[in-house]
Amino acid sequence: MESVVALFREPQQAQGALAALQARGFDRDRLGFALIDAVAEDTIAQATGISPEAGAPGGSASVIRGTLLGALVSLVLTLPIWGLLALIPETRVYAEGGLLVVIYGLIGGAGLGGIFGALTGSDHGDYVKLLRRMGVPAPQAERFYNGLKSGHILVIARDPDGVKTNEALNVMRRHGAVRLEDVEGGGRLQSEREGQDGH
């Protein structure tokens, strides 16, 4: 399986590339795209009949990150209040209750953070992991993802036999695939042909 991955500046360019790829014999289930703008994503999906590409599941890293962030936010919000209760002589009587608020806030914040981390990982997925599974080298996968986050549209064409990859690459270039150097200030051609081994 070989894949051609490209970034486009405008949704119309990506839509045109997807339509041209279908006209060249690429099955819909072998094509995918992703972008941050949900409205434009829906427009492309309806116009081409191609489903948006979901990133790989975020996994436990999203849960752990959310848990730590939730715990940190709860400490930032509750510790100053408890500190004031302990410092002011008239409110020291409430300091023990304030400490309980800090503890329960820490537990609740960590729990909510973990839940939101799990939801975020499941909904949005990990596009770097998705591209790595397709054979894109890690540094380049990161750069593709940075382009996606900066508002570009990611288009993927998979060729199980490796016969049409050059054709897909040419179609994407003709429809305006941008270079990584134009997205991030340096790098290889944005439209790349990648096999399972990353070459």
Side-chain angles (χ1 to χ4, degrees):
M1 173 78 76
E2 289 195 49
S3 299
V4 177
V5 183
L7 286 180
F8 295 86
R9 291 192 191 281
E10 300 295 331
Q12 295 82 5
Q13 293 173 316
Q15 184 176 320
L18 289 167
L21 287 166
Q22 285 185 84
R24 296 294 179 116
F26 278 85
D27 293 332
R28 288 180 185 173
D29 59 347
R30 300 285 184 196
L31 299 173
F33 70 96
L35 67 158
I36 303 300
D37 185 344
V39 174
E41 182 180 75
D42 186 56
T43 301
I44 294 174
Q46 288 185 15
T48 62
I50 297 169
S51 299
E53 192 76 40
S60 60
S62 298
V63 177
I64 293 169
R65 194 178 313 116
T67 300
L68 294 175
L69 187 60
L72 179 65
V73 168
S74 71
L75 285 177
V76 167
L77 293 174
T78 56
L79 272 179
I81 296 170
W82 175 73
L84 286 173
L85 290 174
L87 286 175
I88 300 171
E90 291 82 14
T91 59
R92 280 192 187 138
V93 91
Y94 303 111
E96 188 175 321
L99 184 58
L100 288 175
V101 168
V102 170
I103 293 169
Y104 288 129
L106 180 64
I107 294 168
L112 285 173
I115 290 169
F116 283 114
L119 291 175
T120 300
S122 299
D123 290 345
H124 300 280
D126 186 340
Y127 288 97
V128 174
K129 189 185 294 184
L130 172 75
L131 293 170
R132 293 287 297 127
R133 287 180 182 168
M134 291 168 44
V136 177
Q140 194 175 347
E142 289 282 351
R143 297 174 77 189
F144 275 111
Y145 182 55
N146 289 336
L148 182 64
K149 289 192 299 185
S150 70
H152 290 75
I153 300 92
L154 180 72
V155 173
I156 300 167
R158 295 173 180 86
D159 183 15
D161 304 322
V163 177
K164 296 183 177 182
T165 49
N166 284 333
E167 185 177 0
L169 182 59
N170 290 331
V171 166
M172 290 189 186
R173 286 178 176 164
R174 279 197 305 271
H175 282 84
V178 296
R179 298 170 55 92
L180 276 178
E181 62 189 18
D182 296 333
V183 177
E184 295 187 320
R188 296 169 60 187
L189 187 67
Q190 179 58 37
S191 300
E192 295 294 346
R193 174 180 172 166
E194 298 295 348
Q196 293 290 15
D197 59 355
H199 299 300

